[in-house]
């Protein structure tokens, strides 16, 4: 019976589709008062019977539009919307026609309160706004499901979001953070039904937004607006599951909204390697991917608890804070085989096996204050605290063989290390605006403290064979304290040269980073039966300071289409190191360098733009690279710094372009980055041909080149009452010219890589979703040293994600991944299928669900991989999570909006 019903439904759908008519409506939009042509006005067609969106577009810079669509209806409603104007509506016949010039009337203040816009897309200056009701999703969709439906927005398997190629680094709810800075906690827990609008803007700091500054345009912010009548009550989710092999997971979250006040609690734990508050199926309902929940690899057991609070007092003072406690335990075993190539044409081999057990407890807290004294003066205070207690038990066995596969040296290491880290960061930002032309004065103060206590027991045995055999046995205890204090001040004054268009920023930045490091190492003394013999060779006691002063000037221009800036700065840097154990290694180095750059951004229209940026930067060598201290903690690789190193000098060139055609549902974005570096600091290692032990120091080299380029083109095809197909082609390419040393011989390597990818997103109404992608990776390594042979690598990746809802209340989800890497060495798995499947049944009026998940259905999970660099190839593998099945229960609750339903209008109106 069900099959007959399904076939009948499909038959009538095809008949209906065969009666679909094409139409094109053209026209011009202007204002009724001054006849100004309105750019980026939204024009859309609605079905009369249910107000669903048939097609939409926006006007160009001349106010013209061309609305193309398909429908089986004979009449549709034409709706035109623009900020500050009363929407225009008209019932029209479905046919090709020109409606001429349509004039919009200016909306009065009262209209702004009651008018509701049904436009799917609205453009407000630099903000792109989507009407949630205009995009169809499944009934219980969360924000992530919704974002995947928006044009120009992409969400990957880990929950990372991009908009026209720009990464989204901040997600807000009603303009405020939601559980810190982890976007997946927001996107995978908030449901579509409580969201009214989704707004996308360029990311700015609070101070930049207050002062009216332009952003760099490199990142995007998404703001989710909740209806005012929904901004009171509770919503949340709880879940628990148990599986085979003693696998389990649990999670819970509840948030209370009370106008400007918001309180949230969450908890989660599992032993299935989920990094945070994920649950329910392999697509991670609870999020948490971007937050660190302790260290370790292999099989991880974790527990995580958090609280979040935010409130506004008298519209002047806002406080927000969160606290997270996390503990984890991981168990991992790994092995690797590495072949290292030498400049004389020979090579040597290193095989190693390691096991580690890591236990971690951490506390994270943040507290932010935003104080807007008046419309001209604002204070922002941000404080972050982290404390991490970590214990790591580590065992390693390694061996090195020469070109003839003869054992040359081997090493065994057993260690138990405890780390106690505390990090306290504070930033105060004061901004004072003057007049109405854009002038302001800003003071930024930073004070950071990082303190680490370590205790480490190490037992090692190193054997060197050959003509000069040697054995080094160590049984040592070390305790150490590292304390880093960082203080900084930056003053910025903006002088308007032309009101709100041309500015001169005068800034002065000073900073001082002071590092004190003490490490006491004691050898085991058989006479005292204790670790009492102090080892000067392996101990350190020094103080290091990095003082900088940086005056700078920046000229900035902007209007509706163009923005440009040019900056020049002069940096004075003094590096000073005082070694209390080895005074002969004391050093003082002073560097004086200029930095400069400029950028240009052109907005051809509200939906397309181009940007170009160039800058020249200097980077000082690190202390370990400069300090002439001979570090013999690893007998097989002794490292000595070089106090004569110079700062590296880098030229960066960046280009970007993007455009989205709302009418054709097509869009593209592209980028290109080029970096040219001279005086780059690289390691210079000389290998003893008999023992294969290494002596390493550092040197400056010229000629580094790094190039990255890529782009994406996507198009969407929609069928009324049937579904849609989104196609995307993406390609990335890199070129790197690296200058290095191999056994004292300088050489260059050229690495070229290309990764094209094609993906499809097919949606058949609410019945079926299929998302297949295919990626192929090509890599070619070439060298200018005769003893190195050129290498080519190829790998293939296929992923298929499906969601099927053929039966009422049943949902079947599948994630299939296939990887084939023919370059993996013998003994490692070259290809693997990885398939997760979940069957989900909705209960409790769709507020609850019972799920059966099978992880790694084919039992082929592997993480074998090959890494190829300038002078070595390494194959490695480590512990992975094995196949298991899990039965789980999920329940969500939501009281938002129940107290505010009486405020809903009885009749349908429009509002911007």
């Amino acid at each position: 019976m069900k099959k007959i019903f399904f076939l009948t439904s499909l038959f009538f759908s095809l008949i209906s589709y065969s009666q679909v008519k094409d139409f094109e409506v053209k026209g011009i939009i202007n204002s009724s008062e001054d006849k100004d042509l309105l750019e980026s006005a939204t024009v859309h067609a609605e079905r009369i019977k249910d107000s669903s969106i048939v097609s939409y577009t926006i006007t160009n810079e001349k106010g013209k539009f061309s609305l193309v669509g398909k429908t089986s209806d004979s009449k549709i409603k034409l709706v035109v919307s623009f900020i500050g104007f009363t929407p225009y509506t008209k019932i029209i016949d479905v046919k090709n026609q020109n409606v001429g010039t349509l004039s919009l009337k200016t909306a009065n203040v009262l209209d702004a309160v009651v008018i509701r816009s049904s436009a799917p897309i609205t453009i407000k200056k630099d903000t792109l706004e989507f009407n949630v009701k205009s995009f169809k999703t499944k009934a219980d969709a969360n924000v992530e499901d919704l974002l995947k439906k928006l044009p120009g927005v992409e969400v990957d398997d880990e929950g990372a979001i991009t908009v026209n190629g720009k990464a989204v680094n901040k997600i807000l709810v009603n303009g405020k953070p939601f559980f810190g800075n982890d976007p997946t906690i927001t996107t995978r827990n908030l449901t579509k039904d409580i969201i009214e609008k989704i707004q996308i803007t360029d990311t700015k700091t609070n101070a930049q937004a207050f002062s009216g500054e332009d952003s760099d345009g490199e990142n995007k912010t998404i703001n989710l607006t909740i209806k005012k009548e929904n901004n009171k009550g509770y919503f949340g989710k709880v879940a628990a599951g148990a599986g085979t092999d003693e696998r389990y997971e649990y999670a819970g979250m509840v948030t209370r909204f009370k106008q400007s006040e918001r309180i949230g609690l969450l908890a989660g734990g599992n032993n299935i390697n989920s990094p945070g508050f994920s649950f329910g199926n392999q697509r991670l309902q609870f999020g948490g991917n971007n937050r660190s929940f302790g260290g370790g690899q292999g099989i991880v057991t974790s527990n995580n608890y958090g609280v979040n609070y935010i409130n506004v007092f008298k519209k002047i003072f806002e406080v927000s804070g969160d606290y997270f406690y996390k503990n984890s335990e991981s168990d991992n075993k790994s092995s690797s085989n590495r072949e290292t190539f030498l400049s004389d044409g020979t090579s040597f081999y290193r095989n190693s096996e390691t096991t580690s057990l890591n236990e971690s407890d951490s506390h994270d807290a943040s507290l932010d204050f935003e104080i807007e004294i008046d419309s001209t003066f604002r204070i922002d205070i941000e404080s972050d605290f982290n404390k991490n207690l970590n214990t790591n038990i580590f065992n390693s066995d390694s061996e090195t063989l020469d070109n003839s596969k003869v054992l040359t040296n081997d090493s065994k290491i057993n260690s138990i290390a405890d780390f106690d880290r505390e990090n306290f960061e504070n930033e105060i930002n004061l901004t004072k605006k003057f007049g109405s032309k854009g002038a302001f004065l800003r003071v930024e103060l930073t004070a950071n403290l990082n303190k680490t206590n370590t205790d480490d027991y190490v037992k090692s045995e190193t054997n060197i064979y050959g003509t000069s055999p040697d054995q080094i046995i160590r049984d040592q205890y070390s305790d150490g304290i590292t304390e880093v204090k960082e203080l900084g001040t930056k003053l910025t004054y903006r002088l308007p040269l032309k009101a709100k268009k041309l500015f001169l920023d005068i800034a002065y930045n000073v900073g001082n980073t002071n590092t004190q490091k003490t490490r006491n190492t004691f050898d085991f003394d058989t006479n005292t039966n204790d670790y009492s013999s102090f080892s000067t060779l392996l101990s350190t006691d020094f103080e290091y300071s990095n003082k900088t002063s940086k005056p700078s000037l920046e000229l900035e221009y902007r209007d509706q289409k163009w923005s440009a800036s040019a900056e020049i700065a002069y940096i004075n840097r003094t590096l000073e190191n005082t070694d209390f154990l080895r005074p002969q290694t004391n050093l003082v180095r002073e560097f004086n360098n200029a930095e400069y750059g400029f950028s240009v951004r052109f907005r051809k229209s509200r939906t397309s733009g181009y940007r170009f940026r160039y800058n020249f930067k200097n980077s000082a060598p690190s202390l370990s690279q400069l300090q002439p201290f001979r570090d013999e903690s690893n007998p097989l690789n002794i490292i000595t710094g070089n106090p004569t190193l110079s700062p590296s000098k880098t030229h960066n060139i960046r280009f970007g372009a993007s455009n989205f055609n709302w009418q054709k549902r097509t869009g593209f974005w592209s980028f290109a980055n080029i970096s040219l570096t001279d005086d780059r600091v690289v390691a210079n290692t000389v290998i003893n041909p008999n023992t294969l032990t290494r002596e390493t120091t550092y040197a400056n080299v010229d000629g580094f080149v790094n190039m990255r380029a890529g782009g994406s083109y996507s198009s969407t095809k929609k069928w009324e009452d049937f579904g849609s197909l989104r196609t995307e082609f993406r390609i990335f390419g890199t070129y790197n010219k690296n200058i290095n040393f191999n056994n004292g011989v300088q050489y260059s390597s050229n690495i070229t890589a290309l990764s094209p990818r094609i993906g499809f997103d097919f949606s058949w109404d609410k019945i079926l979703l299929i998302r297949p992608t295919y990626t192929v990776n090509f890599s070619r390594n070439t060298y200018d040293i005769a003893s190195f042979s050129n290498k080519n690598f190829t790998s293939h990746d296929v992923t298929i994600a499906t969601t099927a809802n053929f039966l009422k209340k049943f949902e079947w989800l599948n994630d299939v991944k296939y990887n084939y890497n023919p370059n993996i060495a013998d003994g490692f798995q070259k290809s693997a299928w990885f398939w997760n499947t979940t069957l989900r049944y909705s209960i409790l009026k769709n507020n609850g669900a019972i799920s059966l998940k099978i992880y790694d259905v084919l039992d082929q999970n592997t993480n074998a991989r090959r890494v190829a660099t300038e002078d070595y190839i390494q194959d490695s593998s480590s512990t992975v999570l094995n196949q298991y099945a899990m039965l789980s229960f999920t329940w969500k609750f939501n009281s938002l909006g129940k107290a505010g339903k009486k405020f809903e209008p009885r009749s349908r109106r429009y509002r911007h």
Side-chain angles (χ1 to χ4, degrees), residues 480-492:
I481 298 177
T482 301
E483 190 169 5
V484 181
K485 297 178 182 178
E486 181 181 4
L487 299 174
T489 302
K490 184 178 181 180
L491 299 175
T492 304

Side-chain angles (χ1 to χ4, degrees), residues 716-730:
T716 301
K717 179 73 173 178
K718 299 191 71 173
W719 298 278
E720 187 180 54
D721 292 330
F722 182 72
S724 64
L725 175 65
R726 184 176 184 270
T727 305
E728 183 200 25
F729 177 76
R730 181 184 293 189

Side-chain angles (χ1 to χ4, degrees), residues 707 732-737 749-755 777-782 791-793:
M707 299 176 62
F732 289 103
T734 61
Y735 169 78
N736 290 285
K737 180 182 180 181
S749 64
N750 299 275
I751 303 174
T752 305
L754 191 66
S755 299
N777 302 291
F778 304 99
S779 178
R780 177 174 174 80
N781 299 9
T782 61
K791 302 177 182 65
N792 297 314
F793 301 98

